[in-house]
Amino acid sequence: MTVEFISAINVNPGNELNGFASTAIDHPYFVKYARALDEGGFDYTLVPYGSGGHDPFTIASAITQHTTHLKPIVALRPNTIYPTVAAKALATLDQLSGGRAVVHFIAGGNDHEQAREGDRFTKDERYARQHEYIEILRRVWTETEAFDHKGEFYSFEDFVSYIRPVNGTIPISVGGSSDEAYRTGGQLGDIFGLWGEPLADTQHQIDRIASEARKAGRTDTPRTWVTFRPIIAPTEELAWEKAHRILEVLKDGSKASTLWNAKKFLNTNTTTGPANVGSQRLLEIASRGDLHDRALWTPTASATGAAGASTALVGTPETVAAAILDYVDLGADLISIRGYDNYNDAIDYGRFLIPLVRQELAHREATGQRGEVVAQPPLEDVLRERAAS
Ligand SMILES: Cc1cc2nc3c(=O)[nH]c(=O)nc-3n(C[C@H](O)[C@H](O)[C@H](O)COP(=O)(O)O)c2cc1C
């Protein structure tokens, strides 16, 4: 089984810890970041969407012009762009990048945030619109003759696009944890995106999505994408010290830079708590306890209202790699790992975490047996050498 790794792009040094005020693109930093992912073993990078943030299509096309294989995952909210226009924009990006475009659908977890750009649909309506939207995208990518479309949310006549995706289609991802999300993603998704939950809860979600796929007559199921915030260090003790330091900053909340203020874009600090089911689930899981399975740590979710990807995996690279392999065993072959110290963590994941996971998978492939996840040489030695040099 091959596992692919996903990060999330940064256009400047801002993150949830450093209170970086500027929202401007720092081009040298952006190029350095994209190249670090491209050369550091990452396969994809999410280009997230928030009502006040940069345009993901523009950022994605720039990523492909500064990298060789990194695939940008464009986060798309259907209320922001007409489906035929999105189909052509994605196919254009795909041609420009030699077939690297991916799209991740955002139904939108919060009415207030959706209304910021004029979307007054209920979440149910947003998922129903998303369903029709995805069907239109696939038809625009494959139809060679002009066609009419008359649907519940969209209608147009005599339309044909001459812009074809490089491989005939473009992978479509759906994210969320509500019944509507499972239904839409189970029926239509090539990929289904989940936030990091304990193994049993993740298995439950994977089973829900698979049952929706079967109900829709599919013989396959979407690939599973699981998202974590790894906190790694040379020893368990150092990793937990680092985790608690990060938690104090997250609790304070004033250090989240404007572009990474997920609470604003996803939950809007309401007293009633998050509207989206994914965040509600994470808070419920956090209320069950702080540490789950091998290394899943949830206080980082409680501290941020579980706004977006907010559960951590804490430990040495070996511990976190073993924890990731537990999710691979469930069938998750797309692993999103995004740190709190974004750039430096991406570098460390490329050096110490991704190779460990791939090394063990190669060992299992070659021997049919499970090995022990051990860094060669151990991170401790590497850092001691680095400190000495
Ligand atoms: C992996 C992943 C990435 C996501 N990225 C974004 C994003 O960039 N912007 C956003 O507004 N919502 C994002 N979401 C939120 C959802 O796509 C979703 O629309 C929302 O949370 C509603 O979910 P629900 O069906 O669980 O209530 C993401 C969700 C997942 C699982």
Side-chain angles (χ1 to χ4, degrees):
M1 178 183 211
T2 51
V3 168
E4 294 185 298
F5 287 91
I6 304 175
S7 180
I9 198 67
N10 270 51
V11 297
N12 69 27
N15 61 37
E16 290 144 285
L17 305 180
N18 64 11
F20 193 86
S22 167
T23 60
I25 292 176
D26 172 337
H27 196 257
Y29 178 91
F30 164 68
V31 172
K32 180 180 82 170
Y33 200 101
R35 289 203 172 129
L37 300 180
D38 198 44
E39 291 146 17
F42 285 89
D43 304 281
Y44 301 84
T45 187
L46 176 67
V47 188
Y49 188 95
S51 60
H54 292 95
D55 167 49
F57 282 96
T58 315
I59 299 290
S61 67
I63 290 169
T64 64
Q65 302 311 297
H66 293 289
T67 56
T68 58
H69 74 275
L70 191 68
K71 298 175 182 161
I73 304 176
V74 174
L76 190 155
R77 287 188 189 160
N79 62 298
T80 61
I81 180 171
Y82 199 74
T84 55
V85 179
K88 290 176 292 174
L90 287 162
T92 304
L93 173 65
D94 203 48
Q95 290 187 4
L96 202 59
S97 65
R100 289 193 261 158
V102 180
V103 58
H104 174 68
F105 273 88
I106 309 291
N110 185 276
D111 298 357
H112 184 93
E113 163 68 358
Q114 292 303 116
R116 286 185 175 125
E117 295 188 287
D119 189 8
R120 308 200 188 289
F121 278 8
T122 64
K123 197 168 74 173
D124 287 2
E125 288 167 333
R126 295 200 294 267
Y127 272 109
R129 175 181 58 192
Q130 185 170 300
H131 196 286
E132 183 179 331
Y133 197 107
I134 292 172
E135 291 180 330
I136 292 171
L137 283 195
R138 290 207 167 115
R139 187 150 187 215
V140 170
W141 289 332
T142 49
E143 279 281 5
T144 53
E145 300 301 319
F147 67 97
D148 301 346
H149 172 83
K150 192 148 194 44
E152 185 186 351
F153 300 96
Y154 302 100
S155 71
F156 50 84
E157 296 76 37
D158 191 30
F159 175 85
V160 64
S161 165
Y162 305 116
I163 319 304
R164 305 266 159 251
V166 172
N167 305 308
T169 187
I170 289 168
I172 289 179
S173 170
V174 170
S177 292
S178 60
D179 293 346
E180 301 84 11
Y182 298 147
R183 203 169 23 254
T184 308
Q187 290 176 359
L188 296 174
D190 300 304
I191 298 169
F192 199 102
L194 299 169
W195 289 324
E197 295 187 358
L199 294 165
D201 300 276
T202 302
Q203 183 66 66
H204 169 77
Q205 296 205 85
I206 292 173
D207 295 345
R208 283 297 316 281
I209 297 154
S211 78
E212 291 297 342
R214 278 194 302 279
K215 267 193 243 164
R218 286 179 68 168
T219 52
D220 66 334
T221 56
R223 296 177 70 186
T224 300
W225 157 5
V226 186
T227 306
F228 303 103
R229 313 296 301 271
I231 301 173
I232 60 173
T235 66
E236 298 298 337
E237 197 190 347
L238 286 172
W240 284 105
E241 274 172 28
K242 188 175 168 185
H244 285 283
R245 274 200 311 277
I246 289 171
L247 182 60
E248 287 321 303
V249 178
L250 294 177
K251 278 184 182 163
D252 164 336
S254 68
K255 289 279 181 292
S257 69
T258 310
L259 292 177
W260 287 101
N261 189 343
K263 243 184 180 174
K264 183 168 181 330
F265 291 130
L266 284 174
N267 288 9
T268 62
N269 290 347
T270 60
T271 49
T272 54
N276 76 84
V277 178
S279 300
Q280 292 165 3
R281 289 176 60 98
L282 293 182
L283 293 178
E284 186 276 323
I285 289 161
S287 70
R288 293 188 225 150
D290 291 356
L291 189 58
H292 305 262
D293 306 318
R294 209 187 280 269
L296 187 77
W297 197 51
T298 54
T300 44
S302 314
T304 57
S310 52
T311 47
L313 291 173
V314 181
T316 60
E318 290 90 343
T319 298
V320 172
I324 288 172
L325 286 160
D326 294 338
Y327 289 85
V328 173
D329 291 342
L330 293 184
D333 65 349
L334 288 163
I335 304 293
S336 174
I337 46 176
R338 175 164 68 87
Y340 288 98
D341 181 2
N342 305 40
Y343 179 74
N344 295 322
D345 286 339
I347 298 286
D348 282 349
Y349 297 163
R351 281 199 183 128
F352 305 118
L353 196 49
I354 294 176
L356 274 182
V357 174
R358 292 198 163 130
Q359 174 190 303
E360 171 53 18
L361 288 170
H363 170 82
R364 291 177 185 184
E365 190 86 17
T367 65
Q369 283 160 357
R370 292 164 176 275
E372 208 201 325
V373 180
V374 182
Q376 300 302 342
L379 173 56
E380 216 163 349
D381 302 357
V382 172
L383 292 176
R384 196 175 304 114
E385 268 159 45
R386 204 196 277 178
S389 63

